[in-house]
């Protein structure tokens, strides 16, 4: 037991070490839409269920979900990807904002945002509708703007990390976000990135990138070996054999189907035409993603043959041969063909097989779950593997953490996201250990900050009046918390609010405002300050990240020079449209006017909040996001800059 506890602490140390690691994610970003419905009858027109929609959930998908996982695991994630100027694109931007991803996506008018819509009844996926076509190629101007965004994001991350080279994650799912000029640029700029991770349906498109790690599915690995030809073969007498076609098969989309995994099969001579064993015919097969115009890859029910696109994998290795054994036997070839230091062949709910330069295969296992629970689990795996390798973790440790991150996300239907807190909890290591109360005085703050700094945790600091707590505040604070390990909120005293907002504010006394803030799970500590400026508290806390809400750039934040002098960074976060304290108060007053027409009442003569039109008042973190302008030179989103 002591050994297991020590191992968990060692793994948790790696998770702590990757905090704030700069990661640039580029590739096919999409929106996952989940529609949950009830059905209790069939329609009269056809034997089809009649569905009543109950709720709808949107989530980041593809490269965007990888970015979300990097951010929630504690990395500093920046996403560069083409996104349509449409409703789906707006929802995707909101998903990125909520997760604290630095949104540097490039608007592409006329090119729709890829969407995967799933309709479910009783947690069973009934159908999936995909929009977004690989033929929707980027025009030359779109390619130019994407390359400009990549270059700027790389330098932005390097500057934010004090000159440290960022990590690059490439997510190429064949939807047109990474045309040849972009691929060529990334290969040419390889030396600007310390660690490079590649997840691509067609690995052959990325020759020359020399990635640190590639994470192909079993089907993608099979396709690569088929296209690579017979240059490398297993040693004579090996029990596994891969027959390659003489010519390269046509490139093709994004859906490969891999059949059931075996378990203890045996055959003397099994070929592509082998008839599946009826005993195993009822085993469900994991589903992958094919490439366009390419034949499907299928593993026979006996687990000994894989066919498709002119490639046949045969095995005569005997009892217990399965996809993991097949993958292990070809790890060296996969490393040679991809130029990668590490190859991790993912096997759906069966785990993964990982190989590095030492030639020692490492097997990890997962718990079988319904397919609707595992959507995006590969993104969590990729994010954790990348962060661990970027933090110089040994390969066995990186493989363990990647598998754990993927496994703990599959407990329910939806797109998988692994949070750092969940990963540490799975390791029996709480992310923040503190006996301090949520509401603290300024005298306690120094000790609290010192305690967390000693543990290697990053501190995020923000301040405001938070007079009438509303959705805009909550979302703003959730985004702020995602930027570090500890969120300290400084709230203005009643006297300070009156000086800033006028004599009729605050509506709620500081005791109530502080208690509500402290009750939010995203807020670690709340402190009250009497001054009009939080400068003294900033001096005391020396935050790693200082956060304000607003549409202006960080350099216009009054506290920015002080924060930067103390070694911190400044972030401004976007607001929720039509949500502000002043607007809520005015709606309440207007409602009271409508209900009390008595001329003796003076409520309708109340003067408007004198600060409601002031350009110098502290911004209420909740309004104006619909006024945010993108950088016209890049047409990129800057909502979380």
């Amino acid at each position: 037991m002591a050994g297991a506890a020590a191992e968990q602490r060692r793994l948790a140390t790696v998770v702590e070490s990757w905090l704030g690691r700069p990661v640039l994610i580029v590739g096919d970003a999409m929106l996952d839409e989940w529609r949950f419905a009830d059905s209790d009858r069939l329609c009269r027109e056809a034997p089809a269920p009649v569905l009543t929609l109950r709720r709808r959930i949107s989530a980041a998908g593809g490269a965007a979900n990888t970015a979300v996982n990097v951010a929630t695991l504690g990395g500093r994630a920046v996403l560069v990807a083409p996104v349509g100027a449409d409703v789906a694109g707006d929802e995707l931007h909101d998903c990125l904002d909520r997760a604290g991803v630095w949104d540097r996506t490039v608007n592409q008018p006329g090119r729709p945002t890829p969407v995967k819509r799933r309709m479910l009844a009783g947690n069973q996926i009934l159908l999936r509708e995909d929009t977004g076509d690989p033929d929707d190629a980027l025009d030359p101007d779109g390619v130019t703007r994407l390359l400009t965004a990549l270059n700027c994001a790389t330098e932005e991350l390097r500057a934010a990390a004090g000159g440290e080279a960022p990590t690059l994650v490439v997510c190429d799912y064949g939807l047109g976000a990474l045309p040849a000029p972009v691929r060529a640029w990334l290969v040419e700029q390889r030396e600007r990135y310390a660690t490079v991770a590649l997840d691509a349906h067609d690995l052959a498109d990325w020759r020359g990138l020399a990635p640190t790690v590639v994470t192909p599915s079993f089907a993608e690995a099979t396709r690569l070996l088929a296209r690579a030809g017979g240059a490398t073969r297993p040693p004579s007498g090996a029990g596994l054999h891969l027959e390659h076609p003489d010519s390269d098969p046509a490139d093709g989309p994004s859906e490969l189907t891999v059949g059931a995994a075996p378990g203890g099969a045996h055959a003397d001579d099994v070929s592509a035409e082998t008839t599946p064993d009826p005993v195993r015919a009822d085993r469900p097969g994991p589903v992958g993603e094919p490439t366009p115009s390419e034949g499907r890859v299928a593993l026979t029910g006996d687990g000994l043959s894989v066919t498709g696109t002119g490639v046949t994998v045969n095995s005569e290795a005997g009892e217990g041969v399965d996809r993991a054994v097949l993958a292990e036997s070809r790890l060296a070839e996969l490393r040679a063909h991809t130029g990668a230091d590490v190859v991790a062949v993912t096997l759906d709910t069966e785990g993964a097989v990982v190989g590095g330069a030492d030639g020692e295969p490492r097997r990890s296992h997962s718990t079988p779950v319904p397919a609707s629970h595992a959507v995006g689990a590969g993104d969590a795996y990729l994010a954790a593997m990348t962060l661990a390798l970027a933090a110089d973790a040994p390969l066995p440790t990186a493989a363990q953490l990647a598998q754990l991150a993927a496994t703990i996300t599959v407990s329910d239907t939806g797109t998988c996201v692994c949070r750092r807190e969940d990963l540490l909890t799975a390791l029996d290591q709480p992310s923040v250990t503190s006996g301090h109360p949520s509401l603290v005085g300024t005298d306690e703050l120094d000790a609290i900050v010192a305690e967390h700094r000693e543990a290697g945790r990053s501190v995020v600091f923000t301040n405001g009046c938070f007079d009438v707590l509303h959705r805009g505040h909550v979302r703003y604070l959730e985004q702020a918390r995602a930027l570090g390990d500890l969120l300290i909120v400084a709230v203005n005293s009643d006297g300070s609010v009156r000086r800033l907002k006028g004599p009729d504010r605050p509506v709620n006394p500081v005791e109530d405002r502080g208690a509500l803030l402290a009750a939010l799970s995203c807020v670690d500590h709340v402190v009250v300050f009497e001054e009009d400026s939080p400068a003294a508290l900033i001096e005391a806390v020396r935050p790693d990240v200082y956060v304000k809400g607003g549409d202006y750039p960080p350099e216009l934040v009054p506290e920015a020079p002080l924060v930067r002098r103390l070694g911190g960074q400044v972030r401004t976060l976007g607001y929720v449209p039509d949500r502000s304290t002043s607007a809520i108060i005015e709606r309440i007053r207007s409602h009271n006017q409508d209900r009390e027409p008595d001329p003796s009442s003076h409520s309708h003569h109340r003067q408007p909040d004198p600060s409601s039109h002031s350009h110098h008042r502290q911004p209420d973190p909740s309004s104006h996001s619909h006024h945010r302008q993108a950088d016209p030179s890049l047409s990129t989103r800057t909502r979380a800059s």
Side-chain angles (χ1 to χ4, degrees):
M1 291 297 292
E7 173 67 7
Q8 288 180 323
R9 285 195 297 272
R10 186 181 66 81
L11 293 173
T13 300
V14 175
V15 177
E16 297 284 1
S17 72
W18 72 43
L19 283 172
R21 185 74 51 174
V23 183
L24 171 61
I25 301 94
V26 58
D28 292 299
M30 62 191 76
L31 183 73
D32 278 352
E33 183 180 297
W34 299 81
R35 299 188 176 198
F36 297 88
D38 292 337
S39 177
D40 55 9
R41 60 194 175 93
L42 298 178
C43 70
R44 299 173 61 183
E45 298 84 1
V50 176
L51 302 176
T52 303
L53 185 64
R54 296 303 183 193
R55 65 188 174 105
R56 174 184 171 276
I57 297 175
S58 293
N65 190 45
T66 299
V68 166
N69 275 276
V70 168
T72 57
L73 283 168
R76 182 176 295 158
V78 175
L79 176 66
V80 173
V83 173
D86 50 21
V87 173
D90 289 342
E91 291 192 51
L92 182 55
H93 294 306
D94 289 340
C95 293
L96 297 173
D97 280 353
R98 287 195 298 270
V101 174
W102 293 13
D103 187 347
R104 301 298 181 266
T105 54
V106 179
N107 287 333
Q108 296 289 334
R111 186 178 187 272
T113 302
V115 181
K116 291 185 178 181
R117 295 183 179 89
R118 297 170 178 87
M119 179 67 80
L120 301 90
N123 275 347
Q124 173 65 48
I125 296 178
L126 301 181
L127 60 90
R128 193 181 92 184
E129 175 195 13
D130 289 7
T131 59
D133 195 313
D135 294 333
D136 293 332
L138 298 180
D139 58 29
D141 178 63
V143 171
T144 299
R145 289 187 291 114
L146 190 64
L147 292 177
T148 303
L150 276 170
N151 187 60
C152 292
T154 300
E155 290 307 309
E156 180 183 22
L157 271 179
R158 181 185 291 273
E164 177 185 357
T167 292
L168 174 68
V169 180
V170 179
C171 302
D172 182 7
Y173 306 130
L175 296 178
L178 295 166
V182 177
R183 297 198 301 270
W185 187 92
L186 290 169
V187 171
E188 181 183 343
Q189 301 293 320
R190 169 64 177 86
E191 295 305 315
R192 297 173 69 180
Y193 307 100
T195 302
V196 174
L198 172 63
D199 184 23
H201 284 334
D202 192 350
L203 290 164
D205 282 342
W206 292 93
R207 293 186 181 96
L209 182 63
T212 309
V213 57
V214 293
T215 59
S217 67
F218 181 77
E220 290 161 355
T222 298
R223 184 189 304 119
L224 177 66
L225 291 173
R227 292 176 176 176
T232 56
R233 299 280 186 176
S236 177
L240 299 172
H241 179 62
L242 178 62
E243 296 174 357
H244 299 288
D246 294 332
S247 60
D248 235 13
D251 287 341
S254 234
E255 270 190 15
L256 289 161
T257 300
V258 179
H266 177 76
D268 294 328
D269 184 17
V270 186
S271 68
E273 291 76 33
T274 300
T275 303
D277 186 339
V279 174
R280 295 184 174 86
D282 59 345
R283 293 190 179 184
V287 176
E289 296 289 334
T291 64
S293 73
E294 189 166 60
R296 292 182 176 271
V297 172
L299 179 68
T300 58
D302 58 18
L304 300 178
S305 300
V306 179
T307 65
T309 324
V311 58
T312 301
V313 179
N314 292 330
S315 170
E316 298 179 2
E319 202 70 17
V321 172
D322 60 14
R323 294 192 304 167
V325 174
L326 296 175
E328 286 179 5
S329 73
R330 313 312 293 272
L331 285 174
E333 288 178 71
L334 289 168
R335 290 186 63 245
H337 291 314
T338 60
D341 298 327
V342 175
V343 173
V345 181
T346 56
L347 305 170
D348 310 297
T349 57
E350 297 169 58
V353 173
V354 182
D358 60 5
E360 183 69 28
R362 295 165 179 86
R363 179 80 163 90
S364 61
H365 298 269
S366 184
T367 303
V369 295
S372 61
H373 289 198
V375 174
D379 302 328
Y381 184 97
L382 175 63
M385 172 69 81
T386 302
L387 286 167
L389 292 176
D392 296 323
L395 181 55
T397 299
Q400 277 182 277
L401 288 170
Q403 189 63 66
L404 181 60
T407 301
I408 64 178
T409 63
V410 297
S411 60
D412 202 357
T413 297
T415 303
C416 295
V417 174
C418 183
R419 300 186 309 152
R420 176 175 166 274
E421 292 82 0
D422 297 333
L423 191 56
L424 289 172
T425 298
L427 294 169
D428 291 330
Q429 305 292 319
S431 59
V432 175
T433 54
S434 172
H436 298 287
S438 296
L439 282 164
V440 298
T442 53
D443 295 340
E444 299 174 78
L445 206 53
D446 289 344
I448 292 172
V449 171
E451 177 183 313
H452 288 285
R453 284 263 161 69
E454 186 177 349
R457 302 183 185 111
S458 58
V459 177
V460 181
F461 182 92
T462 190
N463 63 278
C465 298
F466 301 100
D467 192 1
V468 177
L469 198 63
H470 52 74
R471 176 188 169 194
H473 290 134
V474 174
R475 176 170 164 184
Y476 166 83
L477 293 170
E478 288 174 341
Q479 293 177 21
R481 180 60 174 81
L483 299 176
D485 302 302
L486 185 78
L487 176 59
I488 297 174
V489 179
V491 60
N492 295 74
S493 69
D494 291 347
S496 178
V497 174
R498 277 191 291 272
R499 290 191 297 271
L500 291 168
K501 302 289 187 180
D504 58 349
R505 298 280 293 277
V507 173
N508 294 304
V510 71
E511 294 80 9
D512 291 353
R513 291 183 282 127
L516 286 173
L517 288 167
L520 297 176
S521 61
C522 58
V523 175
D524 294 293
H525 298 291
V526 177
V527 61
V528 177
F529 67 102
E530 296 289 341
E531 301 81 8
D532 295 344
S533 166
L537 278 175
I538 292 174
E539 288 268 14
V541 173
R542 303 176 71 91
D544 298 282
V545 184
Y546 177 67
V547 181
K548 289 296 288 184
D551 294 334
Y552 39 78
E555 55 267 22
L556 294 184
V557 174
E559 297 81 5
L562 172 61
V563 174
R564 293 196 174 106
R565 178 171 62 80
L566 297 172
Q569 59 173 300
V570 179
R571 296 286 302 276
T572 55
L573 300 180
Y575 292 146
V576 177
D578 304 321
R579 300 290 191 277
S580 75
T581 298
S582 297
I584 291 173
I585 291 173
E586 288 306 314
R587 284 202 301 272
I588 294 172
R589 289 170 176 166
S590 175
H591 181 69
N592 287 338
Q593 290 173 18
D594 293 341
R595 296 188 60 179
E596 299 178 14
D598 185 349
S600 64
S601 170
H602 299 288
S603 64
H604 59 293
H605 296 299
R606 181 182 296 275
Q607 294 297 315
D609 181 351
S611 64
S612 62
H613 299 290
S614 170
H615 296 292
H616 302 289
R617 70 186 179 94
Q618 286 194 338
D620 180 13
S622 54
S623 62
H624 310 307
S625 69
H626 53 298
H627 297 303
R628 179 175 295 279
Q629 297 296 319
D631 181 345
S633 65
L634 299 181
S635 298
T636 59
R637 302 285 294 201
T638 58
R639 296 168 63 110
S641 59

